[in-house]
DNA sequence: ATTCTTTTGAACTCATTGGTTCAACATAGT
DNA sequence: ACTATGTTGAACCAATGAGTTCAAAAGAAT
């Protein structure tokens, strides 16, 4: 209605192409002509939908961040209906989160945000709207539920959430050499198991003795 | 000798100015003229010392990464001579690491590496030479020693090291909104205590019962 | 068919900037 | 004093790229 009516939305194609080009060229090095080519569209059409290169960038990044957040939130869902093996459930969720984190799309988005956050105060809104804070909150909600049902002992759910995410994602940053090396699934599972292991040692319920092989003094 | 003789090293000034300008403008947006101004030097002088804008960038980033790593390594030193309160020692080191991590210099370096790592395969050497991997290794060494002396139970020191670093640094990335918000010392200490807490729960020696308030089944 | 909107390609303007050249100047070592 | 090396400022070249203009074309809606 308010945008182009009936015709397949060129705007979407432009934003997608813009993100693709920005992702592999960076903001300054990306030229609008190439974005237009990538989107299968003429250059003036780009300026017809988005006024500026800057706003083009902002909108492209914003959409990318929204879909990324959505993926992560859905990946979190199994925690709402955990099976009898809580560790396995958490490990499954953790592994999926790591897989998403290593995705080409996610890496590119992270790179773009990191690089231009200082010169684009506008995209700070994107970060707080669809950034990691939201994911931490959602995870904290799940952990709070699990704590109430006695299957976890997370006194401070937010703290537990951000630490679990840190344990998952942190080691990857170093291992993947800043996203250049891609990590095979075995290594991904290894990191996941390690993360969930220490997480459960700290926040696991009283069955800690049976869960971890490390019982207290005999 | 091989460089300018006697005269105060302009090269150093150039590299410093280059990093400063690159840090606040990004690679593409930074113009060599401004770098020359920042360094208090004429433009041809820049090209006299460094052949290219690209090599200028590479060298500037490389030096910055080296000093950053050095700072972190020295911050690690108290772990070699831990007092009787191991928790306090680790907390001290952790807090110092976080302080360095939040430093303007460090944030700028991280941003630059993240943004240009794809377009500059050269600086990948910098990452693996002075990147987080080195810090993890050094920390792993310390943790291994502490484990041998019975004050820790880190079967896999490397794993413990990368998890401790993740617990320290990870929560900051989210809280600092990608380095835009600066974090006061109180919050820094809070994150540090939380990190060391769960770290010791997972890797603390047998005095776990006394250290953490959460004893096993009575 | 006709009218209104959108798209298209190409050319064009204008500003920026990497990199160079060169003649004048400063400095250090002898 | 003399020379060799390094520095400076300014002007210059060539390329790149943002953003615009415009007339022609294509679609959609009535």
């Amino acid at each position: 209605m308010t945008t182009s009516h009936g015709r397949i939305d060129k705007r979407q194609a432009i934003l997608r192409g813009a993100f693709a080009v920005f992702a592999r060229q960076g903001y300054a090095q990306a030229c609008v002509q190439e974005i237009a080519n990538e989107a299968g569209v003429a250059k003036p059409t780009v300026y017809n939908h988005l006024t500026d290169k800057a706003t083009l960038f902002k909108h492209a990044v914003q959409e990318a961040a929204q879909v990324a957040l959505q993926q992560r939130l859905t990946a979190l869902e199994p925690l709402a209906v955990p099976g009898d093996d809580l560790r396995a459930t958490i490990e499954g969720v953790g592994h999926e989160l790591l897989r998403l984190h290593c995705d080409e799309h996610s890496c590119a988005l992270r790179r773009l945000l990191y690089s231009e956050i200082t010169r684009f105060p506008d995209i700070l809104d994107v970060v707080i709207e669809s950034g990691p804070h939201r994911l931490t909150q959602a995870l904290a909600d799940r952990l709070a539920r699990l704590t109430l049902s006695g299957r976890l002992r997370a006194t401070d759910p937010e703290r537990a959430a951000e630490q679990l995410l840190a344990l998952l994602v942190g080691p990857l940053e170093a291992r993947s050499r800043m996203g250049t090396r891609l990590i095979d699934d075995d290594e991904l599972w290894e990191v996941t198991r390690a993360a969930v292991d220490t997480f459960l040692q700290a926040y696991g319920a009283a069955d800690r003795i049976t869960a971890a092989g490390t019982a207290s003094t005999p």
Side-chain angles (χ1 to χ4, degrees), chain A:
Chain A
M1 255 320 180
T2 163
T3 71
S4 66
H5 43 75
R7 196 73 157 286
I8 37 165
D9 252 351
K10 303 239 172 195
R11 186 189 167 96
Q12 203 68 13
I14 291 174
L15 288 183
R16 268 215 255 267
F19 181 79
V21 175
F22 281 137
R24 68 166 176 269
Q25 304 273 104
Y27 175 75
Q29 287 95 337
C31 77
V32 179
Q33 181 61 60
E34 190 177 347
I35 291 177
N37 293 346
E38 179 93 11
V41 139
K43 187 160 71 143
T45 311
V46 174
Y47 285 100
N48 190 18
H49 287 263
L50 287 308
T51 62
D52 236 341
K53 187 185 180 184
T55 65
L56 173 57
F57 178 71
K58 181 183 173 181
H59 286 180
V61 157
Q62 177 173 338
E63 205 213 56
Q66 280 169 355
V67 310
L69 175 63
Q70 211 51 47
Q71 287 175 328
R72 273 143 231 250
L73 289 184
T74 62
L76 233 56
E77 228 145 83
L79 283 181
V81 284
D84 36 353
D85 189 350
L86 182 57
R87 175 184 293 259
T89 307
I90 299 181
E91 280 180 356
V93 169
H95 177 264
E96 180 64 9
L97 285 178
L98 283 195
R99 218 184 47 75
L100 290 172
H101 188 84
C102 291
D103 181 41
E104 192 56 52
H105 206 262
S106 292
C107 286
L109 176 62
R110 237 181 351 267
R111 272 198 303 268
L112 280 179
L113 289 178
Y114 263 115
S115 61
E116 305 299 336
I117 187 81
T118 56
R119 274 157 314 270
F120 282 102
D122 296 4
I123 68 175
L124 198 134
D125 304 342
V126 174
V127 174
I128 55 188
E129 176 68 25
S130 309
H133 207 269
R134 286 282 294 268
L135 182 63
T136 308
Q137 285 301 329
L139 180 56
D141 289 351
R142 304 301 188 195
L143 297 185
R145 294 294 183 92
L146 289 172
T147 299
L148 281 190
S149 62
R151 308 196 59 176
L152 230 51
R153 206 196 313 107
T155 309
D156 185 343
E158 182 140 6
R159 203 185 90 156
E162 73 181 351
Q163 286 196 340
L164 176 54
L165 289 178
L167 284 170
L168 284 167
V169 164
L172 274 197
E173 299 292 343
R175 292 194 187 206
S176 73
R177 282 172 190 170
M178 258 173 172
T180 57
R181 199 172 72 96
L182 63 137
I183 300 191
D184 57 12
D185 210 49
D186 291 349
E187 198 171 350
L188 227 58
W189 272 112
E190 179 192 330
V191 171
T192 305
R193 274 195 303 269
V196 176
D197 224 61
T198 65
F199 174 76
L200 283 183
Q201 295 232 354
Y203 298 101
D207 56 16
R208 201 172 7 142
I209 302 101
T210 87
T214 63
S216 56
T217 55

